[in-house]
Amino acid sequence: MKLSSRYLRMLPVILLSSVLFFGSCDEDTTILYNDIAMGDIIGGKFVSDAGLTYTPVEQTCPGQLDTMGRAILQSDILKKVSATEYQVRIKQMSKVLRKDCLISDEVEDISALGNDPVLISQAWISAGYLNLSTNISFAEGSKTRHLLNLLLDKSEDNTDTLHFSLLHNSFGDCYPFNTPDAEAEEPSQTKSYSVGTAYASFPITSFVPDGKNHIPLKVKYFWYKSEEGTLTHDTYTGYVKGNIVK
């Protein structure tokens, strides 16, 4: 599945966790199993937001790292090359959508950005980015590309806290789909849905006002209410909060 600079597709979930390997008398010299990192691809190598360079020497998953501008990577750390560079075995990779934030009073048609449900399941700031792991519903088997944007809401008072909204346009490819109409002669067919994960990174530090070293932020989103693990047609508004530091 592919991501473009504007649109996104659903990607496999990479859990943000690591498992340390404690050496034994076996020959396995792996330093760290299942390391998870997000970063940029520079010169065919992965440079994490923590400033570490990973040189791939093995790969056990599909995908081509050098075609991705930014990615989240699960790998085994095999060998230390220098204080900041390691050789790794790539076990899973997902391309990360990287795009600039929009500002509400600079957008001609905000409605075109969409108002479809999107869940922020994880959020963190690293290397000047606000990174989001999001969940989005879509029709099973669909190939429709979705649009995701982070919008600074200038209608809010952003003096002490920056207010953002995560906006999603599914172009009709989100739950609920066609609901059968009891009064219709031939009720429309319902579709099965899936929920996928997509990762996105938005440069954020430029929004810290002059004269300040940090400022709180608040990101609004809305998602489906659920009953016994099943999505309903009702939604709720959620927020994630944090602090942007220059």
Side-chain angles (χ1 to χ4, degrees):
M1 295 183 181
K2 298 181 179 179
L3 284 170
S4 71
S5 60
R6 294 184 60 237
Y7 298 92
L8 65 136
R9 295 286 296 162
M10 303 313 129
L11 295 173
V13 177
I14 294 181
L15 298 178
L16 299 179
S17 62
S18 299
V19 178
L20 285 171
F21 173 75
F22 298 96
S24 68
C25 56
D26 296 332
E27 293 299 321
D28 191 344
T29 58
T30 303
I31 298 172
L32 179 68
Y33 282 110
N34 297 324
D35 175 73
I36 305 296
M38 184 175 279
D40 298 321
I41 314 307
I42 302 174
K45 297 182 178 182
F46 177 86
V47 181
S48 75
D49 287 349
L52 301 177
T53 298
Y54 292 178
T55 301
V57 294
E58 296 181 31
Q59 182 172 325
T60 61
C61 66
Q64 192 170 343
L65 190 65
D66 59 8
T67 64
M68 303 179 183
R70 186 165 173 81
I72 185 166
L73 204 68
Q74 177 180 332
S75 61
D76 295 337
I77 309 298
L78 302 178
K79 181 180 180 181
K80 184 176 182 179
V81 178
S82 70
T84 59
E85 184 171 358
Y86 296 86
Q87 293 181 349
V88 301
R89 176 193 301 119
I90 301 177
K91 300 174 71 174
Q92 190 174 353
M93 67 178 84
S94 289
K95 187 172 181 178
V96 174
L97 176 70
R98 176 173 55 190
K99 64 191 303 186
D100 291 333
C101 301
L102 301 178
I103 301 174
S104 62
D105 59 7
E106 298 178 0
V107 177
E108 292 184 4
D109 184 9
I110 290 182
S111 64
L113 303 180
N115 198 32
D116 295 321
V118 53
L119 173 68
I120 299 177
S121 57
Q122 295 185 57
W124 69 100
I125 294 176
S126 59
Y129 292 103
L130 172 62
N131 304 296
L132 302 176
S133 174
T134 70
N135 290 343
I136 296 171
S137 68
F138 59 98
E140 290 186 358
S142 171
K143 296 183 179 180
T144 301
R145 291 188 172 187
H146 293 209
L147 182 66
L148 196 67
N149 282 285
L150 187 66
L151 182 76
L152 177 65
D153 189 352
K154 294 299 289 288
S155 68
E156 297 280 356
D157 182 1
N158 292 291
T159 304
D160 298 318
T161 299
L162 298 178
H163 294 81
F164 292 89
S165 294
L166 185 64
L167 300 178
H168 169 218
N169 189 341
S170 71
F171 301 98
D173 182 38
C174 75
Y175 176 83
F177 306 103
N178 297 324
T179 302
D181 184 350
E183 297 180 359
E185 293 183 3
E186 295 182 3
S188 57
Q189 296 294 315
T190 59
K191 300 178 183 179
S192 298
Y193 71 88
S194 294
V195 175
T197 296
Y199 301 97
S201 293
F202 301 92
I204 203 79
T205 54
S206 63
F207 291 100
V208 179
D210 293 339
K212 292 187 176 182
N213 294 322
H214 61 87
I215 189 170
L217 85 160
K218 186 176 183 180
V219 184
K220 179 172 68 174
Y221 65 91
F222 77 99
W223 185 242
Y224 308 97
K225 295 180 180 178
S226 63
E227 293 181 359
E228 298 180 352
T230 301
L231 303 186
T232 71
H233 291 193
D234 297 326
T235 59
Y236 69 91
T237 301
Y239 298 90
V240 295
K241 300 178 181 179
N243 200 41
I244 309 173
V245 180
K246 279 187 178 179

